[in-house]
Amino acid sequence: MADGNSSDEDFPDDWTLYANRPEWSDIEPLKQDDGENPVVMIQYSEKFNDVFSYLRAVISKQEKSVRALGLTQDAARLNAANYTVWQYRRDILKALNFNLYDELDYIEGVIEDNPKNYQVWHHRRVIVEWLNDPSKELELTENILNMDAKNYHAWQHRQWAIKTYDLFEDELQYVDRLISEDMRNNSAWNERFFVLKHTGFSADVLEREINYVMNRIRLIKNNESPWNFLRGLLQQGDGKLGQFPEVVEFCEDLYDSGIRSPYLLAFLVDLYEEKYFETKQAGNDPDEYKVKVQDLCESMATQHDKIRCKYWRYIVENFRRKIDAEGNQNGL
């Protein structure tokens, strides 16, 4: 039960060991049992050994009391990642019918000190579920994301709260602000798509979002996140990259103006491969698209994405194999 990192930093100088507290004299502490021949002996601090020895004793007796609740708080200070500490704390909260809003205030402070700790976020979620009240979750996650815009746990908790309690209404406005502040914030782009996916891709929404993302790409062309977002939007229609003429025109205009972003070129490779087979199926000559795909793959392999040159060689060879396979099917 004492796995994880220990830290004494949060304890005041006048903190007293439980072994020296008269009100705990009725409890016999349980030392950690590492067996007769432990492979590695971890040198825990005196405070750590003291707190967790008393916590083991309390759990063994299943004591659910205010003092036991305080003990779990000290244990969490020493090791906030310890699952048993939080689970037993929840057992005590239930048994005491504790004020859960006070618990929300407490765990908010713990999260601020441990923003990348799964167990503290999980504890927060459970308390919110018990209260059936998510009213503070968007503000909390926003505060954490202000410290670290890509904190996975904060985003996961925010998405859980939004989806579970239908809090979508103002989320696009929030995400737009994040993207305006940092257009390379891939977490914000992901959140925007999350909201749209759950609120629906109507024709009007698709048109609005396509214009939105194209305007963002115009500002920063070499930014992977909006290009991925654009592809995600196009998959919501008929799945074809060329289904919206304005997108095709937009990409070709960027290319013609001298933009050689690898994300633009990769998009054009897929677009022209799609165009090749559509044109051939319609009975027209698709050779111009064949040339474009091959030239773009060569450009990527030798200039704009050299680190993945083998990948682009594979893409063009695979494209040629598809052409050959279709020719064989048609008896050519």
Side-chain angles (χ1 to χ4, degrees):
M1 191 178 77
D3 58 336
N5 297 322
S6 62
S7 172
D8 296 349
E9 294 177 358
D10 294 334
F11 286 78
D13 293 337
D14 60 352
W15 188 85
T16 304
L17 294 172
Y18 282 81
N20 297 331
R21 299 184 187 188
E23 67 271 25
W24 284 89
S25 60
D26 60 309
I27 297 293
E28 182 67 29
L30 290 179
K31 302 293 184 182
Q32 179 167 318
D33 184 4
D34 290 323
E36 291 184 8
N37 299 297
V39 177
V40 178
M41 282 293 292
I42 301 175
Q43 296 299 313
Y44 296 113
S45 70
E46 184 181 25
K47 287 178 183 175
F48 193 99
N49 282 325
D50 175 73
V51 169
F52 277 91
S53 293
Y54 276 86
L55 184 63
R56 289 186 204 95
V58 164
I59 293 176
S60 71
K61 294 177 178 294
Q62 284 296 292
E63 177 183 323
K64 312 287 175 57
S65 63
V66 173
R67 72 173 185 174
L69 192 66
L71 179 60
T72 63
Q73 188 168 329
D74 281 340
R77 283 182 185 176
L78 288 162
N79 185 3
N82 190 304
Y83 170 82
T84 304
V85 170
W86 293 109
Q87 181 58 57
Y88 197 66
R89 183 174 179 85
R90 289 191 288 274
D91 292 344
I92 297 172
L93 292 172
K94 273 191 172 181
L96 297 181
N97 197 23
F98 193 79
N99 185 326
L100 295 180
Y101 286 101
D102 288 344
E103 186 67 7
L104 279 186
D105 291 340
Y106 160 69
I107 194 61
E108 179 177 347
V110 178
I111 285 173
E112 288 173 350
D113 291 335
N114 303 270
K116 295 185 177 181
N117 184 315
Y118 169 79
Q119 293 300 342
V120 299
W121 285 103
H122 177 69
H123 185 72
R124 176 85 184 192
R125 177 186 294 200
V126 173
I127 302 305
V128 171
E129 287 175 335
W130 287 356
L131 285 167
N132 195 31
D133 181 0
S135 59
K136 299 181 178 181
E137 302 319 288
L138 298 188
E139 181 182 1
L140 168 65
T141 51
E142 182 175 347
N143 290 339
I144 299 301
L145 292 170
N146 284 339
M147 295 188 286
D148 177 5
K150 298 184 178 182
N151 184 307
Y152 170 78
H153 299 288
W155 279 116
Q156 187 179 52
H157 187 82
R158 188 178 183 91
Q159 289 189 354
W160 164 77
I162 289 172
K163 184 178 178 181
T164 303
Y165 298 100
D166 193 23
L167 305 177
F168 291 99
E169 185 176 358
D170 298 320
E171 191 65 2
L172 281 185
Q173 183 178 349
Y174 169 65
V175 171
D176 182 49
R177 176 163 61 81
L178 293 183
I179 291 173
S180 297
E181 293 170 356
D182 177 12
M183 281 186 285
R184 290 185 171 86
N185 186 340
N186 58 302
S187 298
W189 283 104
N190 179 67
E191 180 74 355
R192 189 173 187 91
F193 198 82
F194 166 82
V195 173
L196 296 170
K197 183 178 179 181
H198 287 91
T199 54
F201 287 98
S202 65
D204 289 344
V205 167
L206 269 179
E207 182 178 355
R208 181 195 73 204
E209 293 299 312
I210 284 172
N211 286 326
Y212 177 88
V213 71
M214 288 193 302
N215 285 333
R216 295 297 180 181
I217 291 173
R218 285 186 182 99
L219 295 173
I220 303 180
K221 284 82 174 178
N222 196 25
N223 182 3
E224 184 175 10
S225 296
W227 283 106
N228 290 339
F229 185 84
L230 177 59
R231 284 178 179 266
L233 291 177
L234 297 177
Q235 290 172 359
Q236 305 309 311
D238 62 14
K240 294 182 178 179
L241 297 181
Q243 63 183 294
F244 294 99
E246 63 267 34
V247 174
V248 176
E249 182 181 358
F250 167 72
C251 293
E252 291 182 334
D253 284 349
L254 287 177
Y255 185 84
D256 291 342
S257 67
I259 301 302
R260 294 298 181 266
S261 161
Y263 310 116
L264 166 64
L265 301 188
F267 188 93
L268 288 173
V269 167
D270 292 339
L271 173 66
Y272 290 143
E273 180 174 334
E274 178 182 283
K275 290 286 188 183
Y276 173 90
F277 292 107
E278 285 180 349
T279 304
K280 187 163 187 174
Q281 192 172 18
N284 298 317
D285 183 3
D287 276 357
E288 67 168 306
Y289 295 115
K290 179 179 179 180
V291 172
K292 286 181 176 181
V293 169
Q294 293 178 146
D295 287 350
L296 284 168
C297 285
E298 180 66 16
S299 176
M300 291 289 268
T302 59
Q303 298 180 61
H304 305 295
D305 195 15
K306 290 191 286 186
I307 196 169
R308 297 197 301 161
C309 62
K310 291 183 179 179
Y311 169 77
W312 292 109
R313 304 289 187 207
Y314 164 78
I315 290 296
V316 74
E317 287 303 320
N318 193 49
F319 172 59
R320 290 168 182 153
R321 281 195 293 269
K322 288 180 184 177
I323 292 174
D324 292 341
E326 187 174 85
N328 291 334
Q329 287 178 357
N330 295 330
L332 298 178

